[in-house]
Amino acid sequence: MTAAPVTGTSFVPGPHLLGSPRGRDWPRPPAPPRPGRDEPPPRADVVVVGAGPAGLAVTSALWHHGVRDVVVLDRGGRACGRFFARTDRLGQRVLRSPYEHHPGVEGFRDCELLDFARLHWGRLTPVERREVRMAQAGHRSVVPVDVFEAYCEHVAATHEVAEKTWRAVVREVLPADGEVVVRTDRGPVTARHVVLCPGEERVAAPPSWWGDGPVPAGVSYWDEPVPPGAGRQVVVGAGLTAAHLVSGALEAGREVHWVVRAAAEHYQCADVNAKFFRPEGRARIGGVPWADRLGLFARYRRASIMFEFRPALERAEADGRLVVHRGEEVTRVAAGRGGTVELRLGDGRRVAGDNAVLALGTKPEIGLGLLPASAVGARDGWPDLDERTLAYTRAPRVSVVGAAAGMVLGPAARNIDGHRVATARVADAVARGLRRDGVGVDALSRGEVGAGV
């Protein structure tokens, strides 16, 4: 099929921005000693569930508020470990979030991501240095994954996050009278306040694609390893994850069939419209009628791809190495001949490949499965939250940071910058709640010493 027509005039950055190195040696602060036990402590003032970028931001912000009795529970036991495992599985080298979006909280004199990149100027490539200059001048820029990972490790070390993080699988979060019990595979932890930073979960394929049986051989999701050695690969999805999968397969010399169920690919800088990063954009969500919020999400939360991918993908399509099936629904996925996978499209055509990778999007984890359903108060797939504190209205000692706060903060809630906005509200509310409980916090929260690092 031919490429979708391009209307109007737009600036398309070159694909060279996507090729930042990975695995460089960055100076790291000394690692603090870990407690000499495997299980998390039985009690804490605050439990943070999840150590991704949102969990890192929350724990660091609580440090600034003088809240130090914090336990972070994470399946991997490392700050942002799962986040970087996923980017590496996709072969992702840069983030679409610019330098001003980083884990942390506004209002404190931290070393921010742009400062960190400038401090390590000698380790940056010429292209990366130009992106730093672009950021300093107030223009859009992209951040190397390598720089971002080193910065996250810096934040974790300087805010004492690493020694507070425990490897554990959280099974339940049970609000009680004046406390919350967090049940894990390594024992319970009782806390005065809990902050959920669960991220998003992948959207599964409709059961009708292969009936009630198991997933057909050769079919995998984007966050699973792709079988090696495939000559032809099928990718289903319209977003940035799909673009990474397509690009990686093309670089490996494979023939790629790309099923884009939308009418055409949608290219834009950020994963959500930039207007929602600003206070006036967030005001379009907060406090407006529920139906209006749902309408805004239906309009603006859509799959999109970084502009930088566009030249290479269009060139591969023109060369015949990439075949794009636009505006086509998948109706059936089944095993084909000779160990292949066969997808049937809505117009009756069949697309076969050695494997098929599904990148069907993500949806917020809103606390169902951890909290009792009555505490979540789910409505149209969203939790019932206090709009000032992001605490669950029916479980006020439990708060949430991340995509689940979208109906309060707008589409940007899922972005790292949205995490910062949410973190500022949650950390302040938790610190105030601890003071009401009579729990002491140190001088940092009272402004008696500098908070910079």
Side-chain angles (χ1 to χ4, degrees), residues 175-186:
D177 186 18
E179 61 185 21
V180 184
V181 179
V182 181
R183 299 192 181 279
T184 81
D185 62 341
R186 299 204 170 192

Side-chain angles (χ1 to χ4, degrees), residues 155-233:
V155 172
T158 53
H159 295 80
E160 303 173 352
V161 176
E163 63 266 43
K164 298 172 183 173
T165 302
W166 302 87
R167 184 192 299 270
V169 177
V170 175
R171 307 293 193 195
E172 290 182 299
V173 177
L174 303 175
D177 186 18
E179 61 185 21
V180 184
V181 179
V182 181
R183 299 192 181 279
T184 81
D185 62 341
R186 299 204 170 192
V189 183
T190 301
R192 295 179 182 272
H193 295 270
V194 170
V195 184
L196 302 183
C197 303
E200 300 182 65
E201 60 184 4
R202 72 188 184 202
V203 173
S208 60
W209 281 14
W210 47 73
D212 297 329
V215 178
V219 177
S220 60
Y221 285 93
W222 61 270
D223 55 350
E224 299 172 334
V226 175
R232 175 187 284 190
Q233 185 166 318

Side-chain angles (χ1 to χ4, degrees), residues 77 119 147 173 200 203 209 217 233 260 264 295-296 328 421:
L119 282 170
V147 174
V173 177
E200 300 182 65
V203 173
W209 281 14
Q233 185 166 318
V260 180
L296 285 170
E328 295 292 348
V421 176

Side-chain angles (χ1 to χ4, degrees), residues 34-64:
R34 289 298 307 268
R37 59 183 185 273
D38 294 329
E39 296 80 17
R43 302 193 69 88
D45 287 340
V46 183
V47 167
V48 177
V49 178
L56 177 60
V58 169
T59 310
S60 302
L62 291 172
W63 184 92
H64 282 292

Side-chain angles (χ1 to χ4, degrees), residues 412-433:
R414 68 194 300 258
N415 186 277
I416 293 170
D417 189 62
H419 296 170
R420 286 218 315 274
V421 176
T423 289
R425 298 189 190 187
V426 169
D428 181 69
V430 168
R432 290 176 184 273

